[in-house]
Amino acid sequence: MSSLRLYTYYRSSASYRVRIALNLKGLTYEAIPVHLRRDGGEHHSAAYAARNPAELVPVLQDDALTLTQSLAIIEYLEELHPRPALLPGPSAQRAHIRALALAVACDIHPLGNLRVLQYLQSIGLDDARRQQWSQHWVTHGLQIIEQLLQQAGSRGRCCVGDTPTLADCCLVPQLFNAERIGCDLSQVPSLQEIYAHCLTLEPFQRAAPAAQPDAE
């Protein structure tokens, strides 16, 4: 049996996604915290850069195999452990699930990533303006996802039906981040309902930032 090790940071949205997926799959793993702020960021160390040249979390090690990028990691887990499915249903439904996940991982998350905010600081944006930047792009992106859900008409208690999928693995961490930075979520009622439901589920609770060994 393989041994899974997840290099993670408690408040990283990308790490949070993978923790949810691992828990939904019922997989046991060792969490190895990588602090993104301590000593200039432990992810910038030579040892970590050798593991992931992008110097980002998460990284999943499966015995000798090293994987990066949260969605690639989750799809790897999906292929090895197809039940319960995070990409269920016919191809059209799976494409919809992927679209929702990518709307978070590609359109929203990169603009509020720590390295982006640190760069904005380096070119003179103060805390208030960086917060405004993050709030704008997160709120804008979530409103688009709200519209996508309404157009598809396939949401239940989760993004697609009543069972968590890859879309929920991505959405929940982004909603957590949106709350943390003070976004106005009044225009995304469906997302708020999905978020509230998912937070009642044990795999999501165990993946939550506050439940992690490195939580501050």
Side-chain angles (χ1 to χ4, degrees):
M1 180 175 292
S2 63
S3 175
L4 297 174
R5 307 177 77 195
L6 180 68
Y7 292 82
T8 177
Y9 178 59
Y10 78 105
R11 216 165 61 187
S12 156
S13 295
S15 298
Y16 192 173
R17 292 171 205 151
V18 176
R19 295 195 303 261
I20 293 169
L22 285 162
N23 292 344
L24 288 170
K25 296 286 186 185
L27 299 173
T28 300
Y29 66 96
E30 178 186 1
I32 302 174
V34 179
H35 204 291
L36 301 189
R37 293 185 177 274
R38 183 180 299 140
D39 299 326
E42 294 176 352
H43 55 306
H44 295 313
S45 70
Y48 191 78
R51 186 170 288 112
N52 182 4
E55 300 178 11
L56 297 172
V57 291
V59 166
L60 183 73
Q61 283 194 324
D62 187 359
D63 290 336
L65 177 65
T66 299
L67 298 171
T68 63
Q69 292 293 342
S70 61
L71 266 61
I73 291 170
I74 294 172
E75 292 224 23
Y76 169 79
L77 296 173
E78 178 80 349
E79 292 180 12
L80 262 60
H81 308 278
R83 297 290 179 269
L86 298 180
L87 286 164
S91 53
Q93 178 172 290
R94 295 196 302 274
H96 174 54
I97 292 169
R98 285 188 174 97
L100 295 172
L102 290 167
V104 172
C106 295
D107 295 342
I108 302 176
H109 177 246
L111 291 170
N113 191 275
L114 177 61
R115 62 180 177 175
V116 171
L117 299 180
Q118 289 175 335
Y119 179 74
L120 292 176
Q121 181 181 28
S122 76
I123 61 174
L125 267 68
D126 58 21
D127 289 348
R129 294 174 72 193
R130 292 200 308 278
Q131 175 119 337
Q132 183 181 17
W133 165 281
S134 293
Q135 289 173 338
H136 169 79
W137 290 114
V138 171
T139 302
H140 175 71
L142 291 176
Q143 288 173 349
I144 290 172
I145 296 174
E146 178 83 12
Q147 293 176 39
L148 290 172
L149 288 178
Q150 292 175 1
Q151 290 174 0
S154 57
R155 66 151 288 212
R157 289 179 295 175
C158 298
C159 287
V160 178
D162 293 331
T163 302
T165 66
L166 175 63
D168 304 284
C169 292
C170 292
L171 179 66
V172 166
Q174 192 60 68
L175 265 291
F176 166 81
N177 183 62
E179 287 188 338
R180 185 176 65 83
I181 65 174
C183 291
D184 177 6
L185 300 178
S186 61
Q187 301 302 308
V188 291
S190 296
L191 303 192
Q192 290 191 75
E193 291 172 4
I194 292 166
Y195 182 58
H197 169 67
C198 286
L199 292 185
T200 69
L201 304 177
E202 189 264 349
F204 287 83
Q205 293 171 353
R206 286 196 291 117
Q212 304 314 301
D214 56 329
E216 298 175 348

